[in-house]
Structure formats: structure tokens, C-alpha cells
Amino acid sequence: MQVAVCGPAEATSEERAQARRVGELLAGRGATVLCGGGGGVMAAVAAGVRDRAGLVIGVRPDDGTVPAPAELSASVVTNMGQARNAILVWSADAVIAVGGSWGTLSEVALALRRGDIPVVVLGGWRVVDARGVPVPGPVHAVTPEDAVRLALGNRPEPAPPRPTAT
């Protein structure tokens, strides 16, 4: 399963801590994590995944001339600017947004337009209609643990590795 974790490059310390924990939890569940390949939430989730020996791939908006965060396992260089947000969410089986920025809101909207994957928001945006009523679609989580549970649904925990005979 591939889970995209989205969030602002200019993140608060709380958003970075939440993203790091989301990364640890997703790696612990055996998910491949996709992110935007930049700083802030993206670097924090990558660090959390790598701390748990998981796989994290950055889908980068630039041409790759600026070095990517060292925590990424691999990068996909798109040179498409924010249009890479569509590639990111269409490559995912679930999306978790941590915090909020205009780019993060576009990722949430693009994921919701797909209509066939869980979209979980941890902090950040709450979209309401003209009457102030929350727009249906994204599921709001309170903790990183909630966010991962909601994104992965009833997907079972991976079995622990079996000891090998020597």
C-alpha cells in the first residue's frame, strides 16, 4: 500500500512532530510513503519513515538541481511545479494531510476528486460551504495514530519476521 503524506514546507514544530510520528507508524505498518520531497512536513515524515527502516519516495516539483532531503529513499523529479500534486495523489492508495498550506489544500482537493481513496486531515484545513457547514469528504483525525488508522482502515498489521535457521 502507498500512502501520500502531504503538508506545508513551512511547517510548525507541532506539524513536523505529527508528520514524523505518522511516518513512523506508516513504516511500522509496512506502507510505502510518498511525499512532496521538500522540507517541513515532507522532510519530517521522511525522517519518521527512515527511523523505522521504511521506504519513502519524494515526488518533487523541481528539476532536481537542489538536493532533496537526505531522509528520502528515492526521488521522482517531475519539473512540473505544483502540478506534481496530481501525480502524488494519483500514485497513492490513501492520503494524509498534516497541517495546511495552499499546496496542501490542492492535494486534499485532488485526492477527494478521485473519490476512491481515504483522505485524512490532521490539523490544517476545514472546508465549509457558504452556510458554514463542513463539506463532506475528508475525515478529520485528532492524533497521528488516528490518522494512520483512518487511512489504512482495517488493513492488518504485518506479521513479524520469522527467525531464519542457521
Side-chain angles (χ1 to χ4, degrees):
M1 170 169 243
Q2 296 188 155
V3 178
V5 179
C6 309
E10 300 296 324
T12 67
S13 59
E14 180 182 1
E15 290 166 341
R16 288 190 307 273
Q18 290 175 328
R20 186 180 190 99
R21 182 67 180 141
V22 165
E24 292 169 352
L25 294 166
L26 288 170
R29 296 283 299 269
T32 297
V33 175
L34 308 173
C35 70
V41 163
M42 298 168 278
V45 75
V49 172
R50 293 294 289 218
D51 280 352
R52 297 293 191 267
L55 179 64
V56 58
I57 300 169
V59 181
R60 298 184 56 195
D62 57 14
D63 64 3
T65 55
V66 175
E71 294 86 358
L72 294 175
S73 304
S75 292
V76 176
V77 175
T78 68
N79 202 27
M80 295 181 67
Q82 293 300 307
R84 75 81 155 79
N85 294 354
I87 295 168
L88 179 64
V89 301
W90 273 96
S91 299
D93 301 305
V95 173
I96 299 173
V98 179
S101 66
W102 289 114
T104 307
L105 181 59
S106 75
E107 290 160 327
V108 168
L110 288 166
L112 288 169
R113 292 284 297 181
R114 281 189 57 183
D116 62 347
I117 62 171
V119 180
V120 181
V121 177
L122 178 58
W125 294 99
R126 288 193 180 264
V127 181
V128 297
D129 67 17
R131 297 176 317 244
V133 176
V135 174
V139 177
H140 292 273
V142 177
T143 66
E145 290 77 11
D146 288 340
V148 170
R149 180 182 51 77
L150 291 165
L152 297 181
N154 293 325
R155 188 167 180 262
E157 300 269 344
R162 292 183 168 192
T164 56
T166 55

